[in-house]
Amino acid sequence: MRIFVLGAGATGSLIARLLVRQGHQVTCGDRSPDRARRFLGRKSSIPIRQVNARNLWSIVKAARGCHLIVNASTAVLNKIVLRAALRLRVHYLDTASHQTDDPFQAEQLRFAAQFLAKRRTAVINAGVAPGLTNLLVARSADLLDGIETVHIRLYESTDSDVPVSQWSSDGAFDEAVSRPRVYRNGRFRFGKRFGEREVFRFPPPIGPAGVVLAAQDEVVTLPRVLGMREMDVKIGGSDFERLRRWYRQGKLRKSHGPGANRFPQTPTPRQMAGLLARGTLYHARFAAAVVVQGHKGERRAVIRWDAVFPTLHQIRRREMYPSPVAWATAHLAALFVKHFPRGLPGVHPPEALPAKIRQAILAGARTYGIRVTRRVTLLKPWDEYE
């Protein structure tokens, strides 16, 4: 398949390399080909085209001849890239939403009828969180007769002397200044920014960590596909604690912009190696947990999933230099492409994909060294509590 990867930064460049390993013919597009080449590597033969992703015709011209556009740029540009895919009559995949029109609905879903009419497929939010987290919730729904609540807990930690962007600085700032969405009593609403703090126990070596509400895309798609009563997403770790501190100090406002000091550009592999060599960057971790409560027959049940990803040092031993978040997102996106449902026109979040495809992606994640574990706890029937 001929694939055009738009945005060749820390995540997009790794997606491109993984897709080449799968046997695809890959071309990258980026506003700065020189910087994209530094991410891809000087020895990489993947062609790079200069693209202004804010201009529809610039994308159309650069991506002409491809079968699939992988949108690895900032989610702010989703609608432009979706229109370009429709103009070219090609398939589409991205890793995040932006909710520009409706704060409680992924903007990509508005294009469902157009993709259906052109018999093309769009898979959205196809990364790690969202992405893998959606698949784990959907797998829980397969195992239960019904689900009541879904709680997703993420951990992002970077041990460094200065702020280091684990992924897109624009994406990180957008998430930091957005109001978190929650689903309570069958209704969408806004939660308090960095609110509802709790202590959540992640698997060793992380252990207990404080987590707070965060603006994550899972909340706006999962309740629409899978019936439930309540859902929220919280994030913990040093990265989010730093954002929470800035917010309480009044330094984190959309009107102020990201600021290079707080949200620096994502380091290239060479820059990442330099940060590690100088001791400025010590370590980085990323983990995800999904807790689903529901019922199996007459008994209540709790299914907990834990996904542990390679740490920065483990990734480095593979002679790679992306952050754990970028590494995880790229590998999951590549799996979504490997199992892309070209015969399923329309726009689909991960949880809406056929069960066979969802299970194949989960199996593929384990082959990449992502440790996914499941624990099922059956509780007393409802009438015994009464």
Side-chain angles (χ1 to χ4, degrees), residues 10-266:
T11 304
S13 62
L14 182 52
I15 292 174
R17 295 201 300 271
L18 292 170
L19 294 180
V20 169
R21 292 180 192 175
Q22 290 181 11
H24 300 291
Q25 183 179 333
V26 180
T27 301
C28 287
D30 199 275
R31 62 182 177 183
S32 175
D34 289 340
R35 179 172 169 79
R37 181 57 65 192
R38 290 196 290 272
F39 277 104
L40 284 168
R42 296 295 179 184
K43 296 181 180 180
S44 172
S45 61
I46 299 174
I48 305 172
R49 298 172 183 169
Q50 187 169 20
V51 180
N52 175 9
R54 297 183 181 277
N55 184 288
L56 171 69
W57 292 108
S58 180
I59 301 171
V60 169
K61 180 179 178 181
R64 186 170 283 119
C66 73
H67 300 123
L68 167 69
I69 292 180
V70 174
N71 179 10
S73 62
T74 176
V76 175
L77 305 174
N78 280 351
K79 292 194 293 184
I80 300 174
V81 188
L82 280 159
R83 293 190 183 102
L86 287 167
R87 180 72 63 173
L88 291 166
R89 297 182 67 91
V90 300
H91 303 292
Y92 171 91
L93 180 141
D94 65 32
T95 62
S97 297
H98 189 241
Q99 288 100 50
T100 50
D101 301 319
D102 183 340
F104 302 117
Q105 179 164 315
E107 69 278 4
Q108 304 101 310
L109 295 175
R110 295 178 177 270
F111 293 81
Q114 297 175 61
F115 273 88
L116 192 61
K118 291 185 181 290
R119 298 182 181 179
R120 293 297 180 267
T121 304
V123 177
I124 66 171
N125 298 349
V128 62
L132 175 62
T133 47
N134 302 60
L135 296 180
L136 296 177
V137 176
R139 182 58 182 150
S140 300
D142 293 339
L143 299 172
L144 297 173
D145 295 330
I147 59 178
E148 290 291 323
T149 65
V150 174
H151 301 294
I152 297 175
R153 302 294 181 257
L154 308 175
Y155 182 87
E156 300 176 16
S157 177
T158 306
D159 299 330
S160 61
D161 293 335
V162 297
V164 177
S165 295
Q166 284 216 40
W167 46 296
S168 164
S169 57
D170 291 336
F173 174 73
D174 184 60
E175 180 184 44
V177 298
S178 298
R179 296 175 65 184
R181 286 85 170 168
V182 297
Y183 189 71
R184 300 279 166 78
N185 296 318
R187 298 184 64 182
F188 292 100
R189 65 181 181 86
F190 285 114
K192 183 180 179 181
R193 289 179 64 187
F194 301 99
E196 299 185 22
R197 191 177 190 277
E198 66 178 70
V199 176
F200 186 83
R201 186 177 293 276
F202 291 92
I206 297 172
V211 294
V212 294
L213 287 176
Q216 284 287 122
D217 301 325
E218 295 94 331
V219 177
V220 299
T221 63
L222 278 163
R224 298 181 185 278
V225 178
L226 307 173
M228 65 186 68
R229 179 175 51 84
E230 179 179 319
M231 180 180 178
D232 61 35
V233 182
K234 295 183 181 181
I235 302 180
S238 62
D239 295 357
F240 224 67
E241 284 297 323
R242 184 185 298 117
L243 295 176
R244 181 169 176 258
R245 184 173 65 253
W246 288 341
Y247 173 70
R248 297 177 72 176
Q249 293 171 349
K251 299 177 180 178
L252 198 61
R253 297 180 180 177
K254 187 176 294 188
S255 59
H256 292 173
N261 292 332
R262 298 190 181 92
F263 295 90
Q265 276 196 327
T266 308

